[in-house]
Amino acid sequence: MALKYLYVPSGVQENKAYGVLPNSANADFSSFSRSSAGSRVDKNGFINTGLGLGNEEVVDGGFDNASSWVTTVATISNSRAIFIDGTGAYSNVRQGGVLTINKTYEVTIDVVINSGGGLKIQDGNGNTYKQITESGVYTFRFTSIGASSSFYIARNQGGVAYDMYVERVSVREVTEVNTDVPRIDHTGGGCPSLLLEPTSTNYIQYSEDFTQSSWGKGSIVSVSEESILSPQGTLGAYKVNANGTGNTFVRDLFSASAQTYTTSFFIKKGNHRYIGIRGLINVSGNDHIVFDFDTESVIVPSNISSSSEYVSSGYEPYKNGWFKVYVTISVASAQSRYAGVCVSNSTGSESGTFSDAYFYVTDAQLEPLSYATSYIPNYGTAAGVTRSADDGNGTGDISSAINEQEGVFFINSACSTSEAISTPQWISLSEDSSNNSYISIRYNTSANSVQIRYQANGGSAVSISTTSIDRSNFNKIAFRWKANDFSLWINGSLIQTQTTWDIITANNLNRLSLELPSGGQNLYGKVREIRIYDEYESDSEMAKLTTL
């Protein structure tokens, strides 16, 4: 077989995903764009959010110079910020020029609490971003919502006797470091893939902090931050513990429009088998699907599966015992709905009697799509945080790799969803950016539809299609052509043959693109491999090429 073009996920840089063959810059997808950060699973199995850290914003975070800080009923001494007893006093240390409204920051703080109600992190407008009630080193992120630039470490009000101090603090701006960089994703291990996603927004205001007041808690639930390894490979996730008789939920109220939403949570087993996941559904009876840790499966109670609002649900396993569990709901009418989790039973109840039954949770997401996408961190933005769409665009001139008279066009890819989509998604060989002549493999609008779309020399477009596969899984798809023989092959099998199509005039096709030749209708999903052969191949070779 004469392989002339090959793309497999390997090197990337800003605006570029490198091709392998031909050995020139023309093989690269060289105008890739995405105007925001984007998450991916790295080769170690952890979620890389595409976010980095800027310079230190605090002066004298080690408290070596008392003049660097302003104090009220507190002192700076012996490289510590010390909080002093004072009846009803707002004991604090603060520094101006640290925060900027709508920017996100990462704080690391080393706190010792011998007695008292703990400390809180605030801005100069009184907005509280974190409350700390136990000794330890804490790292957390927040988005500043106050106009004041001042950063406060303050005593939690209440009570008189307290003995607390801070040994060091760091505040650094969180920055987007992989804007316009293609994402090579290693979800599930094995071969990596080029990850391409549409724009989406995470409406969960505090997606990584379940102690915030926006998360309502049931009557027997306590939520605490624990130093366990998270899906991001950092220390920190939240323990949800139910003890007693009553409600066991942790949930966020959202003003939903009449549209489809997908809710997802990362959960990890503690000592309890069944965890409920609620995704905006409104039904009579229990409102949660259930994840069973023992069988690693999703249970959909009959009152939910029979609801006209229920679309689908599922899960993905991650490293260190974490599972991403998701549920998609089509909200029938605009109203406030809950998204959340709970200690549950096999029927999805959010109440009962439990004795210190617990699990871990982090990285919540509520997005306006019919399927789950990569994690979008939200550290306090009420309107939601948006990830921009990936646009793979196309390669340079690869005319030397394409024989219009005969050949094979092959992809190993997965569509973003098996459900119906509003517009087709294309991978195409074309004449520059023209729709005059092209060969395309595309995911059509119908559920699970895979289609060959072919147009020769400005004539009418013709097609071969099938719905016999789950296109959200990885499938090996190939189109073979020569005069009087045009065929679609998928996963080792011949799907359909056409014999009456016209051959494209020689030397017309010169570009590979991850979209409609003239632009738009982008591919969204994952791509492991793209190949172009310049010769007609036998049935046995086609079966071998496309067998999973």
Side-chain angles (χ1 to χ4, degrees):
M1 300 178 76
L3 178 62
K4 292 296 185 178
Y5 179 87
L6 175 63
Y7 170 78
V8 292
S10 53
V12 297
Q13 67 174 46
E14 187 174 354
N15 303 123
K16 184 176 290 188
Y18 290 105
V20 178
L21 288 175
N23 187 19
S24 75
N26 286 340
D28 305 333
F29 293 98
S30 56
S31 53
F32 181 94
S33 64
R34 186 190 60 255
S35 59
S36 71
S39 296
R40 65 183 181 92
V41 176
D42 66 22
K43 64 182 179 180
N44 297 313
F46 295 117
I47 296 173
N48 181 325
T49 60
L51 299 174
L53 296 176
N55 295 326
E56 179 62 59
E57 302 291 341
V58 162
V59 176
D60 185 30
F63 303 105
D64 297 315
N65 187 349
S67 64
S68 299
W69 295 85
V70 179
T71 62
T72 298
V73 196
T75 62
I76 305 296
S77 177
N78 297 321
S79 299
R80 292 175 175 175
I82 303 172
F83 296 82
I84 307 169
D85 281 352
T87 303
Y90 180 47
S91 175
N92 69 83
V93 299
R94 60 194 181 273
Q95 188 174 118
V98 175
L99 306 178
T100 300
I101 191 169
N102 294 328
K103 287 190 174 182
T104 298
Y105 298 91
E106 180 172 290
V107 175
T108 298
I109 186 168
D110 189 349
V111 177
V112 176
I113 300 174
N114 295 317
S115 64
L119 299 172
K120 56 188 173 184
I121 303 301
Q122 294 183 307
D123 62 27
N125 298 110
N127 297 300
T128 298
Y129 300 105
K130 185 73 173 180
Q131 296 199 27
I132 299 171
T133 58
E134 296 181 356
S135 299
V137 178
Y138 295 84
T139 298
F140 59 92
R141 292 178 175 182
F142 68 89
T143 299
S144 181
I145 60 174
S148 171
S149 68
S150 294
F151 174 79
Y152 278 63
I153 307 171
R155 178 178 75 91
N156 281 325
Q157 301 294 91
V160 177
Y162 55 93
D163 176 10
M164 301 176 289
Y165 58 87
V166 176
E167 294 196 315
R168 63 184 176 91
V169 65
S170 168
V171 180
R172 299 173 69 184
E173 183 184 350
V174 177
T175 59
E176 296 185 331
V177 297
N178 75 342
T179 300
D180 291 327
V181 177
R183 291 177 287 169
I184 296 180
D185 184 76
H186 296 260
T187 299
C191 297
S193 59
L194 176 66
L195 175 61
L196 302 162
E197 294 182 308
T199 186
S200 192
T201 298
N202 186 1
Y203 291 117
I204 298 292
Q205 184 175 1
Y206 294 98
S207 64
E208 295 180 25
D209 189 351
F210 293 81
T211 63
Q212 291 286 340
S213 60
S214 60
W215 288 102
K217 282 86 172 177
S219 57
I220 62 169
V221 164
S222 62
V223 177
S224 59
E225 187 173 5
E226 304 291 328
S227 294
I228 66 170
L229 200 62
S230 77
Q232 297 180 36
T234 56
L235 289 177
Y238 287 83
K239 179 181 178 180
V240 177
N241 187 84
N243 188 42
T245 299
N247 293 324
T248 63
F249 58 76
V250 178
R251 65 192 187 188
D252 193 5
L253 186 63
F254 174 69
S255 297
S257 302
Q259 66 178 85
T260 301
Y261 295 91
T262 297
T263 304
S264 59
F265 291 86
F266 282 80
I267 58 173
K268 178 182 172 75
K269 188 175 183 180
N271 65 358
H272 191 68
R273 177 175 180 177
Y274 299 111
I275 306 303
I277 306 293
R278 185 169 182 175
L280 303 188
I281 198 164
N282 187 11
V283 294
S284 176
N286 298 333
D287 294 310
H288 298 73
I289 66 165
V290 180
F291 186 75
D292 183 340
F293 280 116
D294 288 2
T295 61
E296 296 185 6
S297 62
V298 172
I299 302 168
V300 183
S302 59
N303 65 312
I304 293 179
S305 62
S306 62
S307 168
S308 60
E309 291 193 333
Y310 175 75
V311 177
S312 61
S313 57
Y315 75 96
E316 296 175 356
Y318 279 73
K319 194 168 184 176
N320 297 315
W322 287 97
F323 296 87
K324 180 180 181 179
V325 184
Y326 51 87
V327 56
T328 300
I329 299 297
S330 180
V331 175
S333 60
Q335 58 183 262
S336 295
R337 300 281 188 95
Y338 286 109
V341 292
C342 70
V343 175
S344 190
N345 56 21
S346 61
T347 65
S349 175
E350 62 178 23
S351 63
T353 299
F354 300 92
S355 178
D356 286 322
Y358 68 91
F359 68 99
Y360 301 99
V361 64
T362 189
D363 297 4
Q365 187 149 302
L366 169 61
E367 55 188 322
L369 290 176
S370 62
Y371 53 91
T373 67
S374 63
Y375 175 57
I376 307 168
N378 187 341
Y379 302 112
T381 302
V385 174
T386 298
R387 179 196 63 241
S388 300
D390 293 291
D391 190 344
N393 290 303
T395 64
D397 186 338
I398 59 167
S399 56
S400 62
I402 305 171
N403 179 359
E404 290 84 353
Q405 308 305 298
E406 61 176 296
V408 175
F409 182 22
F410 165 88
I411 64 169
N412 181 359
S413 71
C415 183
S416 54
T417 178
S418 60
E419 303 294 328
I421 51 180
S422 58
T423 58
Q425 300 177 13
W426 297 63
I427 306 176
S428 55
L429 302 177
S430 65
E431 178 184 351
D432 296 317
S433 297
S434 166
N435 294 340
N436 186 62
S437 294
Y438 60 79
I439 300 170
S440 74
I441 301 171
R442 73 176 195 173
Y443 299 117
N444 209 12
T445 54
S446 301
N448 276 327
S449 177
V450 176
Q451 183 182 74
I452 299 300
R453 187 82 169 177
Y454 182 92
Q455 184 165 316
N457 314 317
S460 298
V462 291
S463 63
I464 301 171
S465 63
T466 181
T467 57
S468 63
I469 62 169
D470 183 345
R471 67 185 182 189
S472 65
N473 294 330
F474 279 98
N475 294 284
K476 293 185 176 181
I477 306 168
F479 176 61
R480 179 183 66 181
W481 71 92
K482 71 174 183 178
N484 303 318
D485 189 345
F486 303 83
S487 57
L488 168 63
W489 293 73
I490 300 180
N491 300 338
S493 297
L494 172 63
I495 303 300
Q496 189 177 346
T497 298
Q498 290 288 343
T499 60
T500 60
W501 295 357
D502 294 330
I503 286 290
I504 296 172
T505 302
N507 303 316
N508 267 3
L509 304 182
N510 59 13
R511 182 175 183 263
L512 168 65
S513 59
L514 303 176
E515 59 186 0
L516 180 72
S518 58
Q521 300 188 12
N522 297 71
L523 175 69
Y524 294 128
K526 298 180 179 182
V527 179
R528 283 181 174 167
E529 190 175 14
I530 304 174
R531 298 186 181 198
I532 302 171
Y533 296 90
D534 70 347
E535 294 177 351
Y536 180 91
E537 303 299 338
S538 67
D539 286 359
S540 62
E541 289 289 348
M542 292 297 293
K544 181 179 178 181
L545 174 65
T546 58
T547 295
L548 290 171

